[in-house]
Amino acid sequence: MADEDIIQRINDLAHEEHQLFERESEGQASNAERQRLQEIAVQLDQCYDLLHQRRARRAAGLDPDDASVRDAGTVEGYVG
């Protein structure tokens, strides 16, 4: 997956997230939509992590295509 594809996926997820946040703020979100918001948060973290890995590998002279999506437990366990 190319960086541009990852960025597009981030944009798509962010758009969906925004729509669901709007429904939530209006008190119209279903339980399934609230669950989807949580799933989107994890997927966004995974996409950002993958993009970061690819850029770091490229900067180090390594093949960015060797980067891989990390599991939810890993990306959600990062401490900033």
Side-chain angles (χ1 to χ4, degrees):
M1 180 178 279
D3 290 0
E4 295 79 15
D5 296 329
I6 298 167
I7 292 167
Q8 183 59 52
R9 180 71 177 141
I10 289 169
N11 289 334
D12 292 344
L13 287 167
H15 179 74
E16 182 182 359
E17 181 182 50
H18 177 75
Q19 290 177 322
L20 291 172
F21 274 140
E22 269 189 39
R23 288 186 53 76
E24 177 67 19
S25 70
E26 295 166 354
Q28 298 177 357
S30 67
N31 287 338
E33 289 170 325
R34 287 185 196 95
Q35 176 63 36
R36 179 64 184 143
L37 275 170
Q38 293 175 348
E39 293 167 2
I40 289 170
V42 172
Q43 290 175 11
L44 281 169
D45 288 344
Q46 288 174 313
C47 287
Y48 282 120
D49 177 70
L50 179 58
L51 190 59
H52 178 77
Q53 285 182 62
R54 289 180 57 80
R55 289 176 174 171
R57 293 186 66 76
R58 191 176 293 113
L62 301 172
D63 185 354
D65 290 334
D66 288 340
S68 60
V69 175
R70 297 182 213 210
D71 65 271
T74 300
V75 299
E76 294 301 294
Y78 291 149
V79 178

